Amino acid sequence: MDTISTILLNLKESCSEVRQSKTLRLEDWVPPPFDSLKFNVDGSARGTPGPAGIGGVLRDYTGRLLCTFSNHIGIQDANTAEILAIARACELCVSRPELKDRDIAIVSDSKVAVSWVNNDEIGSLKHLQVIYDIRNLMRRLGSVSVSYSARAANFVADSLAKKGSDSGEVLLTWSNI
């Protein structure tokens, strides 16, 4: 079993207690179009503020895992964690030359974070620098978008973010792209 499969198996087992809201409709992950990539990201804070983490998973149109990350980010609020997860995905994509001209969809389950990144207005001065950094990274990538998707469709990223909240470990795994 490869490293990413082992990580996902452990996450699935450790997150079996995930609660389902009555209003949350369980959705399956939807792959990106042919020859495109999707980077599902999430932030987690265990309090307002509280121990926080970020996580994400990059997949191709076949669902093959290309990258996973999970980081503890200290004591933060949920919005900061969500913005930092988007920023980390952008940084990772920029760090790989083979991703420069690929169509990449970064998907978050935070409507607030997505609107801050996509709009000219800034929702919070606290996040101003990170939002500018995200926009600059996106320009360097070429064809990249940031969009919203329901939490249920973002289960793996959610699990990785919660793992980051709960531990000081840094996880970053790449497969062949």
Side-chain angles (χ1 to χ4, degrees):
M1 186 179 303
D2 66 8
T3 306
I4 293 178
S5 297
T6 304
I7 291 165
L8 291 177
L9 181 62
N10 291 339
L11 281 171
K12 186 175 179 182
E13 290 171 3
S14 68
C15 294
S16 61
E17 78 284 351
V18 172
R19 292 172 279 156
Q20 294 296 320
S21 166
K22 290 180 184 177
T23 59
L24 183 65
R25 202 178 100 229
L26 191 59
E27 299 177 25
D28 292 328
W29 178 80
V30 177
F34 176 77
D35 208 28
S36 296
L37 304 174
K38 184 183 278 189
F39 214 140
N40 290 89
V41 299
D42 200 10
S44 171
R46 305 276 193 196
T48 309
I54 58 174
V57 58
L58 177 67
R59 296 180 216 168
D60 66 12
Y61 65 96
T62 67
R64 186 171 65 96
L65 299 174
L66 304 174
C67 177
T68 58
F69 74 87
S70 177
N71 293 71
H72 181 75
I73 56 169
I75 305 298
Q76 301 289 345
D77 61 75
N79 286 332
T80 300
E82 296 286 355
I83 288 291
L84 291 175
I86 294 169
R88 182 67 175 138
C90 289
E91 291 166 356
L92 291 170
C93 290
V94 166
S95 76
R96 301 294 291 239
E98 62 267 38
L99 297 180
K100 174 132 179 32
D101 294 318
R102 298 288 300 269
D103 289 336
I104 303 170
I106 298 173
V107 181
S108 168
D109 63 5
S110 171
K111 288 181 182 178
V112 171
V114 169
S115 76
W116 288 347
V117 170
N118 287 329
N119 292 322
D120 289 332
E121 61 186 70
I122 303 299
S124 168
L125 290 177
K126 173 182 176 181
H127 303 109
L128 182 65
Q129 186 60 54
V130 176
I131 291 167
Y132 282 142
D133 291 345
I134 291 168
R135 291 176 182 170
N136 286 331
L137 289 166
M138 289 173 65
R139 280 191 281 279
R140 289 175 58 192
L141 285 167
S143 183
V144 63
S145 64
V146 177
S147 63
Y148 166 81
S149 181
R151 179 170 293 158
N154 218 22
F155 175 77
V156 175
D158 180 64
S159 299
L160 289 162
K162 286 184 170 119
K163 182 175 178 63
S165 295
D166 296 335
S167 75
E169 293 181 49
V170 174
L171 165 72
L172 176 59
T173 307
W174 286 95
S175 294
N176 292 332
I177 296 178

